[in-house]
Amino acid sequence: MIDNDHIENLLARVALRDRNAFQALYDSSAAHLLGAAVRILGSRAQAEEALQDGFVQIWQNASSFNPAKARASTWMTSIVRYRALDMVRRTGRETPLDEIQESALPESTVWYDADQEPNLEPCMDELGESQRMCVTLAFVEGYSHQELSTRLDTPLGTIKSWIRRSLNQLKECLER
């Protein structure tokens, strides 16, 4: 498990251009961030490129990190995730839809603290198969609504409704 306070401390030192802190930040978080990029891109080589781009951005923007707005791990994951999604948009998806697992967020790609974060898996299990697949592909794999509509041969309005209703259902489940 990643110690968010440790990551936050390292980010503060990286903001001061501490190269040793940057190395420590990389060492303690690269595996998790790479996992997130691989899930989106389906290619380790492309994921490594997204990870490198993400760490360049982390180095350049560490001073803009605000712990009042997000956890350090979430901020870094978002940066790498957006780099990976940019690559998908530029080059197209590498992993065919039928090769993508329908599982919920894998532990290897998410910083999870059972004391602070609710467990999403039981709530995901309450969704119908199509809704669970849409939410997972949209929020884990990075598919757009239009991509889901095309790949699942389902009207765009239906995809949007499934995702909207699923998110509402997940929110209600997590609030119980």
Side-chain angles (χ1 to χ4, degrees), residues 91-112:
T91 62
R93 182 158 312 280
E94 292 292 318
T95 306
L97 184 61
D98 59 354
E99 291 180 18
I100 295 173
Q101 296 177 2
E102 294 181 30
S103 63
L105 297 173
E107 289 182 50
S108 65
T109 62
V110 177
W111 279 285
Y112 178 73

Side-chain angles (χ1 to χ4, degrees), residues 117-149:
E117 303 280 341
N119 188 354
L120 189 60
E121 193 167 334
C123 296
M124 289 289 288
D125 290 342
E126 292 181 14
L127 299 175
E129 183 179 337
S130 297
Q131 290 78 9
R132 183 174 51 252
M133 178 186 252
C134 280
V135 168
T136 302
L137 292 174
F139 292 97
V140 177
E141 304 295 338
Y143 280 80
S144 70
H145 291 160
Q146 185 61 53
E147 285 178 308
L148 288 170
S149 175

Side-chain angles (χ1 to χ4, degrees), residues 47-104:
E48 288 172 352
E49 185 178 333
L51 180 69
Q52 179 180 348
D53 291 348
F55 267 100
V56 167
Q57 188 173 353
I58 290 166
W59 172 259
Q60 292 172 341
N61 298 303
S63 62
S64 70
F65 169 69
N66 183 347
K69 290 185 177 180
R71 293 171 45 143
S73 56
T74 303
W75 183 77
M76 291 174 52
T77 301
S78 295
I79 289 172
V80 172
R81 182 176 183 274
Y82 288 128
R83 296 286 63 82
L85 291 173
D86 285 346
M87 290 178 74
V88 167
R89 288 181 187 105
R90 279 193 323 263
T91 62
R93 182 158 312 280
E94 292 292 318
T95 306
L97 184 61
D98 59 354
E99 291 180 18
I100 295 173
Q101 296 177 2
E102 294 181 30
S103 63

